[in-house]
Amino acid sequence: MLHIIAMKDEKIFLAHGAGGKQTRVLIESLILKYFNDSLLKSLPDAAVVSIPSDSERICFTTDSFVVKPLFFPGGDIGKLAICGTINDLAVSGAKPAYISCSLIIEEGFSIQYLEKILKSMAKAARKSCVRVVTGDTKVVEKGKCDGIFITTSGIGIKRYQVPSGLQDIKPGDAIILSGVPGMHELAVVCSRENLNFDMTLKSDCAAIDGLIDGVLRVSNRIRFMRDPTRGGLAACLNEIASGCNFGLKIYEDKIPMTEQVRSICEILGFDVINLACEGRVVMIVDCEDAERIVSVMRKHPLGTRAEIIGRVSCECSGRVILQTIHGFERFIRMPSGKQLPRIC
Amino acid sequence: MKHIDEFRNERYIGVLVSQINEVSRKIKKEVKLMEVCGTHTMAIARSGLKKTLPENVRLISGPGCPVCVSPNSYIDTAISISELKDIRVATFGDMYRVPSGNRSLEKQAADGAKIDIVYSPLDALKIAEEKPCQEIVFLGVGFETTAPLTARVIQYAKNKGIKNFRVLSGHRLIPPAMQTLVKDLNHEIHGFICPGHVSAIIGSVPYRIFPEKYGIPCVISGFEVIDILHSILMLLEMISGEKKTSVVIQYKRCVEEKGNPEALKIMREIFDVVDAEWRGIGLIESSGLAIGKRYRELDATYIFSTKPLYRHDPKGCLCGEILKGIKKPSDCKLFGKLCTPEHPVGPCMVSSEGTCAAYYSYER
């Protein structure tokens, strides 16, 4: 019966977040419909989760998502929220296990859209075998948020001996990128600004835990991993370089690229290395394992375009140097202030 | 993209670099070549090509970034307008963060002013059509490249009877600024890399004065690495005396001698050419575009009587000298210390086409 009441509403009202009957209706008829985890069903104040007895450490992460538009080619805010948290855990060498999900919804938000977002979150979580075990829903007055904001936190079981610091990086190590960078930011921007390039550009938004899992099975000489999100490859590489005090040398012609991405960047004046990804990984690995890792990655659907894009070097410590396609060299700097807002 | 790849072919680059080296050896002095286009500044910095040039060939950046040359008074006026009731200011993103004193449009927005970042004056007009109860003021900055578009939008708004749309024109003309730099006796420029996009509008004729009166060669250049190297080679050939000093169009695929007559016509229709202030350079005769009397009701300076404060350029900031190509960003004491892209002091650090931003990002 509760289910019928909720379906009658086409929009979210303040009452849906007031903690009373309507909140209950929303949670039971809509949220539990998609997140039907046994731990969540009884709606306890906190989920009691178990971790494998042989695991010594867990990873814990949180992220908020405010992307505009909420739906973009290749994904939506829901998929982004789940994948983003899974990826943060995965690059830390953890197996993502549990996720919490907090929704802040604007009064008047379409229930149809909300359902679409929840469905997408559930699908992404299922795909990576993570359980959404706790959550919260708030509704704010019209105009106080933009549709919906989502915060997800995640717990992962640290399984692999992947260093979470930069201390093991050595000169000569190879730098691997799992795929074409920048597609997420381009897809979001093109969709937000209605730039109709008559193309099929999609965000790279995806959970990369499976891809990383495969790599960790064949190599224990991964020095460091990070997913290049906001600030793109440029920010990610600069963080690594400044942290490890070696130089990173990147070869522009090795960066995986498509005609489509290149063309759009050319037209809009974007530097692809500054653009956000949501389903890529940068790995610093022992050079002896690099080729093997790349070939394993290429067998995974999310790593088909993986490449060794550069090397760790003794020169220019703390800096990232790009050897351009013309054979000239220049610095890649930390992007600053110019990135477009609300891309994730 | 195949078209672009031809202009980035490594083999051609090698050939051009060796030809440049050869010609430069015949010139027994240091040669200063100035580009007066922010897109060139950025393309040169991004490609890293400066490092391949011979020692006696120096590329210097001139006043080619429209945001950078806009004086404080313009930014102050824009800020004052943004404080008025029921006003939305629509601006290109680069202008958003330019400081004037301790204020900027970005800070205004944080304090509640309605500032929209747009990619084109058409977007600003669209906002005006969608929000008939609010006044939209578009900050029209840019050189001859963007002025025709602003002109077209002004004409459209008038014809359509759109009453809530105004333009604050800060448009500037490039050749008068180049002439001012050349006349400056302390300033030696041996050749101009002329802006490709500006020239697509104005053609090559306005540059003739430089070879004819001052003996300075001009090459209108494209923006790919090969275009720029080719233009440098052409300039050096003229400077060395191998070829006659003149205005040459290297960027033939976009620029015609006569320019774009349609665009020039609409600029003349909407704008009057007036004396205008340039940051770092001062007042330059006949170098600005003001909205003509017939379109007065669309002119923000006519409608809103704001009194901009007169402000000196920030203390210690060398943007003026840098815009003239006299100083390098690294000569400025603030550069990279007090003045960074995160906390810009001068406009050359704010705009993505600014000399300091280019230098900071790619060359330092």
Side-chain angles (χ1 to χ4, degrees):
Chain A
M1 186 168 131
L2 289 172
H3 184 86
I4 296 162
I5 297 167
M7 287 302 114
K8 274 187 181 171
D9 290 330
E10 286 176 355
K11 287 182 173 175
I12 292 289
F13 301 119
L14 284 172
H16 285 118
K21 194 171 159 188
Q22 288 92 330
T23 304
R24 191 87 185 175
V25 168
L26 176 72
I27 290 170
E28 292 191 353
S29 65
L30 206 60
I31 295 177
L32 291 184
K33 180 174 165 191
Y34 294 102
F35 300 148
N36 54 359
D37 196 281
S38 56
L39 287 173
L40 188 64
K41 262 186 179 153
S42 58
L43 300 174
D45 286 328
V48 179
V49 299
S50 52
I51 53 171
S53 56
D54 58 342
S55 58
E56 284 176 8
R57 289 181 296 171
I58 60 163
C59 291
F60 182 34
T61 185
T62 189
D63 213 341
S64 297
F65 297 85
V66 296
V67 66
K68 182 183 183 177
L70 299 171
F71 301 92
F72 48 84
D76 56 63
I77 189 169
K79 182 180 179 191
L80 199 60
I82 296 292
C83 293
T85 291
I86 289 174
N87 292 350
D88 284 346
L89 293 170
V91 294
S92 309
K95 163 100 184 119
Y98 304 106
I99 278 185
S100 79
C101 163
S102 168
L103 308 173
I104 297 176
I105 312 172
E106 185 185 11
E107 180 185 12
F109 190 64
S110 149
I111 289 203
Q112 196 195 336
Y113 284 171
L114 178 62
E115 184 157 10
K116 213 171 146 187
I117 290 165
L118 293 170
K119 199 170 169 183
S120 158
M121 292 180 88
K123 188 177 164 195
R126 209 165 40 241
K127 204 168 170 188
S128 293
C129 300
V130 289
R131 297 168 63 179
V132 178
V133 291
T134 186
D136 184 46
T137 306
K138 296 277 179 349
V139 179
V140 295
E141 298 90 334
K142 185 96 190 157
K144 301 292 177 194
C145 97
D146 198 353
I148 185 168
F149 295 157
I150 301 178
T151 299
T152 49
S153 300
I155 291 175
I157 313 301
K158 181 102 173 150
R159 295 193 304 186
Y160 301 105
Q161 292 315 306
V162 179
S164 22
L166 301 156
Q167 64 279 0
D168 290 350
I169 295 175
K170 292 180 183 65
D173 284 350
I175 305 164
I176 296 172
L177 175 64
S178 65
V180 180
M183 290 170 66
H184 174 69
E185 187 155 344
L186 284 182
V188 169
V189 168
C190 290
S191 152
R192 178 163 69 206
E193 305 299 336
N194 282 320
L195 303 173
N196 298 317
F197 287 110
D198 193 25
M199 285 181 174
T200 48
L201 179 80
K202 280 191 178 143
S203 161
D204 51 49
C205 173
I208 47 171
D209 55 322
L211 176 74
I212 290 172
D213 210 43
V215 170
L216 292 172
R217 279 174 208 279
V218 298
S219 172
N220 56 5
R221 287 190 283 191
I222 314 289
R223 315 274 197 227
F224 188 76
M225 292 190 277
R226 179 153 287 174
D227 52 332
T229 54
R230 279 173 300 174
L233 205 50
C236 178
L237 294 172
N238 270 292
E239 279 161 12
I240 297 171
S242 62
C244 74
N245 269 319
F246 292 115
L248 303 186
K249 185 157 185 185
I250 305 297
Y251 304 96
E252 192 173 17
D253 59 349
K254 297 287 182 206
I255 297 174
M257 196 41 57
T258 65
E259 277 299 289
Q260 195 178 43
V261 167
R262 219 154 66 93
S263 310
I264 299 176
C265 283
E266 200 63 47
I267 291 167
L268 298 178
F270 290 153
D271 201 340
V272 74
I273 55 173
N274 292 338
L275 299 181
C277 320
E278 286 292 342
R280 303 285 181 237
V281 60
V282 170
M283 286 188 187
I284 312 279
V285 306
D286 188 309
C287 66
E288 279 184 28
D289 283 11
E291 294 289 347
R292 183 161 19 131
I293 290 170
V294 166
S295 69
V296 168
M297 276 187 165
R298 286 185 182 159
K299 287 185 189 113
H300 191 279
L302 294 174
T304 52
R305 298 288 312 274
E307 289 285 352
I308 299 169
I309 60 163
R311 300 270 169 200
V312 177
S313 115
C314 287
E315 292 164 39
C316 290
S317 68
R319 307 290 302 261
V320 186
I321 303 158
L322 182 78
Q323 183 173 320
T324 69
I325 41 172
H326 315 117
F328 306 148
E329 283 187 357
R330 69 162 163 92
F331 289 121
I332 296 179
R333 278 197 62 89
M334 188 69 126
S336 167
K338 290 178 195 123
Q339 297 111 288
L340 294 145
R342 308 225 348 231
I343 49 170
C344 60
Chain B
M1 291 302 282
K2 282 201 180 99
H3 176 64
I4 282 179
D5 290 337
E6 286 171 21
F7 290 94
R8 295 175 184 175
N9 184 312
E10 238 171 277
R11 209 159 42 106
Y12 299 148
I13 289 172
V15 173
L16 282 167
V17 169
S18 64
Q19 285 181 348
I20 286 171
N21 272 298
E22 206 176 300
V23 183
S24 75
R25 276 197 289 273
K26 294 178 197 157
I27 306 169
K28 302 287 179 220
K29 59 175 181 183
E30 188 187 49
V31 173
K32 287 183 190 164
L33 308 179
M34 178 180 268
E35 90 271 352
V36 276
C37 169
T39 314
H40 277 148
T41 306
M42 221 50 194
I44 290 167
R46 253 180 82 174
S47 69
L49 71 83
K50 266 188 198 170
K51 288 178 195 148
T52 66
L53 294 178
E55 270 182 23
N56 65 332
V57 177
R58 236 184 87 194
L59 296 186
I60 52 176
S61 304
C65 155
V67 167
C68 306
V69 303
S70 299
N72 279 333
S73 58
Y74 182 83
I75 296 150
D76 276 333
T77 307
I79 289 172
S80 304
I81 289 174
S82 77
E83 285 171 337
L84 300 173
K85 201 170 170 276
D86 292 330
I87 291 275
R88 296 187 85 90
V89 169
T91 176
F92 294 131
D94 281 2
M95 206 59 171
Y96 190 61
R97 300 183 66 228
V98 178
S100 177
N102 56 6
R103 306 200 299 172
S104 69
L105 289 168
E106 184 181 38
K107 287 183 183 163
Q108 291 296 108
D111 285 341
K114 302 276 184 294
I115 318 280
D116 297 300
I117 293 179
V118 293
Y119 294 95
S120 145
L122 288 166
D123 296 342
L125 191 68
K126 204 171 146 205
I127 298 171
E129 288 180 300
E130 285 168 1
K131 298 187 193 307
C133 298
Q134 291 185 332
E135 293 260 349
I136 312 301
V137 177
F138 172 67
L139 305 186
V141 290
F143 299 120
E144 293 91 332
T145 330
T146 45
L149 192 55
T150 305
R152 177 70 83 204
V153 168
I154 290 174
Q155 192 185 48
Y156 177 87
K158 184 174 164 99
N159 292 347
K160 279 258 173 177
I162 298 170
K163 301 274 183 237
N164 62 329
F165 179 75
R166 328 263 175 220
V167 174
L168 182 67
S169 174
H171 287 293
R172 296 285 184 271
L173 304 171
I174 277 285
M178 290 165 66
Q179 215 181 330
T180 303
L181 293 182
V182 168
K183 279 189 200 159
D184 185 342
L185 292 176
N186 294 322
H187 204 355
E188 227 180 343
I189 298 165
H190 302 99
F192 277 117
I193 299 172
C194 295
H197 296 146
V198 164
S199 308
I201 306 294
I202 65 173
S204 62
V205 179
Y207 304 111
R208 279 193 193 154
I209 186 168
F210 298 108
E212 285 167 11
K213 193 168 170 188
Y214 305 101
I216 299 175
C218 292
V219 175
I220 297 167
S221 175
F223 298 92
E224 297 302 328
V225 173
I226 286 188
D227 290 322
I228 295 166
L229 289 171
H230 188 203
S231 300
I232 292 170
L233 178 64
M234 288 168 134
L235 283 171
L236 294 177
E237 283 171 345
M238 292 193 266
I239 293 165
S240 72
E242 271 181 36
K243 292 199 175 147
K244 190 174 166 271
T245 295
S246 60
V247 180
V248 183
I249 303 172
Q250 182 277 339
Y251 197 28
K252 283 199 177 114
R253 58 193 191 276
C254 279
V255 178
E256 287 184 54
E257 195 179 309
K258 64 178 192 310
N260 180 335
E262 274 296 303
L264 290 169
K265 193 176 151 203
I266 194 164
M267 274 165 74
R268 278 195 296 269
E269 156 78 16
I270 307 296
F271 294 117
D272 293 339
V273 175
V274 294
D275 299 348
E277 192 193 342
W278 292 57
R279 184 187 295 265
I281 303 177
L283 199 71
I284 302 179
E285 204 181 311
S286 305
S287 69
L289 295 176
I291 297 170
K293 273 191 188 145
R294 284 184 53 208
Y295 293 87
R296 209 176 228 181
E297 70 274 19
L298 285 126
D299 185 353
T301 50
Y302 179 72
I303 299 294
F304 308 108
S305 54
T306 56
K307 283 197 189 113
L309 305 163
Y310 182 77
R311 237 189 271 273
H312 290 286
D313 289 344
K315 205 175 168 193
C317 170
L318 293 188
C319 274
E321 248 91 25
I322 289 164
L323 282 169
K324 285 195 266 189
I326 294 171
K327 293 266 162 78
K328 283 193 306 233
S330 54
D331 296 331
C332 179
K333 280 183 186 151
L334 307 181
F335 178 80
K337 298 186 184 90
L338 276 175
C339 183
T340 61
E342 298 78 42
H343 298 287
V345 177
C348 296
M349 188 59 97
V350 180
S351 169
S352 59
E353 299 202 329
T355 307
C356 294
Y359 199 86
Y360 189 90
S361 299
Y362 300 120
E363 296 183 46
R364 202 164 58 107

